[in-house]
Amino acid sequence: MERLPNTLRRHLAAVRAVAVLTVILGVLYPLLVTGIAQVLLPHRAGGSILREDGRDVGSALIGQSFTGRDGNPLKKYFQSRPSAGGYDPLASGASNLGPQDVVDRLPDPRGTGQAARKGRISLLTQVCARSKAVGELEGVSGARPYCTGDGVGAVLKVFPAVGTPTRVVSVNQACPATPFIPAYQGVKVECGKPGEDYAAGRTVPVRGNARAVVPPDAVTASGSGLDPHISVAYAELQAPRVARERGLDVHRVRTLIAEHTTGRALGFMGEPGVNVLELNLALDRKR
């Protein structure tokens, strides 16, 4: 029998290597890890599914929304942290918007294309709008630095970009809105006109004197978009509203918050958190 050519022998060796590694890493190793997890951590290995009244209601590891059919928060429940992916495990991820994303693209009904007509909301305006909404829901101030009173980013476009200003636009406040400040360096501030291109202007975020009452995790999404926990501060902020809606003593609600607060990982990493689903299930049991 003739010896196989070198090229063919190399290909056969590669095929054998792939087959062996597939069996080891694609079959045996996952079975081994799954078996160990099922023995040592059966609840977590099964997805940490929580059951209530004989049915699955969610996972302790994945956040979910507590809103009505109209999309508004159900006031008798604690609200979760915002999610860029709508709490969908298949869409896990962040918004990929950074701290420099402060300028909106205003919706333009006369624009060409769906993107132009719909516009785009900057990360700053998302934070401002969320803070305003949480403030209204909880009966506290939703104001924060770099946000206008109507819940958008307090950002100016100054023209020309270099030199003495001759024109200033509150670029995130669509006309006929009243600009959050009347003048900048002696120049009257205009409202933003949908469809107008302000890219050539200098971007100037304006920091106001507001002190943020709404915690950061109430207005920013987690990196995964699936975080099941909120901060103790955000839970405490919601406690009076939940107690009022359920007719419970607020001290009892705060006790439940403490009972469902987890400490720092390994005792020193991160911050304590409150599992929202577990807390809301405990509240439902009090009815």
Side-chain angles (χ1 to χ4, degrees), residues 120-140:
R120 192 189 73 86
I121 300 176
S122 66
L123 177 61
L124 177 59
T125 289
Q126 289 181 39
V127 167
C128 295
R130 289 167 179 165
S131 189
K132 182 175 182 290
V134 170
E136 293 173 349
L137 179 64
E138 309 301 345
V140 299

Side-chain angles (χ1 to χ4, degrees), residues 126-166:
Q126 289 181 39
V127 167
C128 295
R130 289 167 179 165
S131 189
K132 182 175 182 290
V134 170
E136 293 173 349
L137 179 64
E138 309 301 345
V140 299
S141 171
R144 20 186 4 101
Y146 298 106
C147 293
T148 69
D150 50 358
V152 299
V155 179
L156 302 175
K157 277 290 189 177
V158 179
F159 300 86
V162 179
T164 303
T166 58

Side-chain angles (χ1 to χ4, degrees), residues 42-150:
H43 180 61
R44 287 183 174 271
S48 297
I49 301 300
L50 300 180
R51 295 178 63 83
E52 197 73 12
D53 297 329
R55 60 187 180 89
D56 296 340
V57 294
S59 169
L61 303 178
I62 297 178
Q64 60 181 267
S65 62
F66 294 89
T67 55
R69 293 182 178 179
D70 57 1
N72 293 322
L74 294 172
K75 294 184 178 181
K76 68 176 183 177
Y77 287 113
F78 282 87
Q79 297 300 304
S80 301
R81 188 174 184 176
S83 171
Y87 309 99
D88 182 358
L90 298 178
S92 174
S95 65
N96 293 328
L97 301 179
Q100 301 301 316
D101 189 58
V102 299
V103 177
D104 299 350
R105 184 170 64 241
L106 299 177
D108 183 7
R110 299 167 298 178
T112 57
Q114 184 177 357
R117 291 192 293 270
K118 188 176 180 181
R120 192 189 73 86
I121 300 176
S122 66
L123 177 61
L124 177 59
T125 289
Q126 289 181 39
V127 167
C128 295
R130 289 167 179 165
S131 189
K132 182 175 182 290
V134 170
E136 293 173 349
L137 179 64
E138 309 301 345
V140 299
S141 171
R144 20 186 4 101
Y146 298 106
C147 293
T148 69
D150 50 358

